[in-house]
Amino acid sequence: MHYWKGLDAVPTDVAPTVVTIGNFDGVHLGHCEVLDAVVSLAKQRAAKSVAITFEPHPALVHRPDSAPELIMGLADRVDTLASVGLDAVLMIHYTLEFADQSAEEFVKSIIVDTLHATAVVVGHDVRFGRNNSGDFEYMQELGRRYGFDVIGVDDVGDKRRLSSTWVREELAAGNVEAAASILGRPHRMRGEVVHGAARGRELGFPTANLSADASGIIPADGVYAGWLVDEADVRWPAAISVGSNPTFDGISRVVEAHVMDRPDEGVEDFDLYGQQVVIEFVSHLRPMVAYRGIEALIDQMAEDVEQARSVLALEQH
């Protein structure tokens, strides 16, 4: 998949294309319905399938104090967009100046003059241009004016429309299974493994601690079953702890994964420090609580590991 950072990176001979527009935070199943339609129509028309998206998220530019937390980082968003079979992603740097374009200017400069689109595929709730003045009906009008088709895709979801907002709500509640049912895959975080307080090692359960600047929403405090994917793309079963270590009067929230079934239990033989890893959250096991005494905590951690192992074994079958 081609990854074009800005309009200047788009080849002049890219035509024809089938295009969609969106923030695609999380690239959930509702997004995938639109993206699949783009890829399918592009193949029918011997065209390039292109998703236009924005960085940073427009909400971070317009209302930085109240913008939603992003479900995934930019690298994961691009990787996930690539996985649906798109030919290209056009990443536009979002600024207040860019946002001041009229709806027609946005369509003409990007969809018509740069991408030479033969069709635009969008949800019926699409908004674009200055103050979100452009809507689906106006996109149809511009399509007639500039010679491209506009195809609307209905919302996905039975009782509630699938949305990034819904994913955020489920993660905030620790419902990673529900979030995965909206995303179509487990929620993931990505970050560097850094040195922590080494308490897990001292208790017999060494952990890989994610750096504070790791990308992806941190789910609710608790213990989870999941996977750690290392830089060699090896997936390791893991018991994952999210929280501030209340037994030790911790303050800052930490995401740490105890990798199970390592080739050797010696920490020095399984060094993840400095690696960029992915942590996937499969199942919520229990809330985070403070224990009276170290022995009670160790017993609970051993039980968490066994429960995580059972959950992940079932997932693989």
Side-chain angles (χ1 to χ4, degrees):
M1 186 193 76
H2 297 288
Y3 179 36
W4 299 321
K5 296 181 181 180
L7 301 183
D8 292 342
V10 180
T12 55
D13 60 350
V14 69
T17 65
V18 174
V19 173
T20 189
I21 311 159
N23 296 312
F24 302 115
D25 185 27
V27 196
H28 55 66
L29 292 176
H31 294 143
C32 290
E33 189 81 5
V34 175
L35 295 165
D36 288 346
V38 170
V39 172
S40 177
L41 183 59
K43 288 179 179 177
Q44 294 174 27
R45 297 193 176 193
K48 300 284 189 186
S49 54
V50 181
I52 303 169
T53 189
F54 311 97
E55 179 67 18
H57 192 291
L60 291 169
V61 174
H62 291 288
R63 44 188 179 90
D65 294 335
S66 61
E69 190 174 2
L70 296 182
I71 296 167
M72 57 171 43
L74 177 58
D76 281 311
R77 182 166 29 133
V78 173
D79 286 350
T80 309
L81 287 170
S83 72
V84 304
L86 288 166
D87 291 308
V89 166
L90 170 56
M91 184 67 67
I92 294 176
H93 181 57
Y94 194 89
T95 63
L96 290 175
E97 181 182 4
F98 174 82
D100 197 43
Q101 294 180 98
S102 71
E104 183 172 2
E105 287 172 335
F106 170 84
V107 167
K108 185 163 189 315
S109 65
I110 299 172
I111 293 175
V112 177
D113 293 344
T114 301
L115 294 174
H116 311 288
T118 179
V120 173
V121 180
V122 287
H124 291 283
D125 62 346
V126 67
R127 308 294 298 197
F128 58 98
R130 185 186 304 123
N131 298 323
N132 281 332
S133 57
D135 58 13
F136 184 78
E137 287 71 25
Y138 190 52
M139 182 70 81
Q140 289 180 307
E141 179 183 328
L142 293 174
R144 290 188 290 270
R145 187 178 306 170
Y146 291 108
F148 59 83
D149 298 323
V150 178
I151 293 89
V153 177
D154 293 331
D155 290 342
V156 178
D158 296 327
K159 297 181 180 179
R160 179 178 177 180
R161 170 180 173 268
L162 301 187
S163 68
S164 301
T165 298
W166 191 3
V167 175
R168 294 186 190 101
E169 291 172 2
E170 298 295 358
L171 292 175
N175 300 328
V176 294
E177 298 95 332
S181 71
I182 303 167
L183 291 168
R185 63 192 175 280
H187 173 61
R188 53 170 39 192
M189 294 184 66
R190 182 188 298 270
E192 181 181 349
V193 176
V194 298
H195 290 274
R199 290 199 187 97
R201 182 187 311 183
E202 294 167 0
L203 298 174
F205 298 92
T207 59
N209 291 43
L210 282 190
S211 60
D213 62 354
S215 63
I217 288 180
I218 302 177
D221 288 3
V223 177
Y224 300 84
W227 302 92
L228 183 147
V229 186
D230 64 21
E231 286 185 345
D233 208 29
V234 178
R235 289 166 59 83
W236 299 95
I240 306 160
S241 171
V242 177
S244 55
N245 296 318
T247 301
F248 298 95
D249 297 322
I251 298 175
S252 60
R253 299 182 76 213
V254 176
V255 178
E256 50 188 328
H258 170 68
V259 174
M260 303 179 295
D261 305 327
R262 303 191 304 280
D264 187 287
E265 289 298 317
V267 178
E268 65 278 1
D269 297 323
F270 191 73
D271 186 1
L272 294 172
Y273 291 124
Q275 283 200 36
Q276 288 284 330
V277 302
V278 168
I279 290 181
E280 297 181 350
F281 297 84
V282 172
S283 180
H284 181 264
L285 302 181
R286 66 171 175 87
M288 187 63 69
V289 296
Y291 289 89
R292 293 183 178 180
I294 301 302
E295 291 303 320
L297 176 59
I298 292 174
D299 290 344
Q300 182 61 62
M301 292 170 73
E303 185 177 327
D304 293 339
V305 167
E306 289 308 311
Q307 189 177 356
R309 183 178 283 114
S310 297
V311 167
L312 297 174
L314 288 173
E315 189 201 32
Q316 290 181 300
H317 293 294

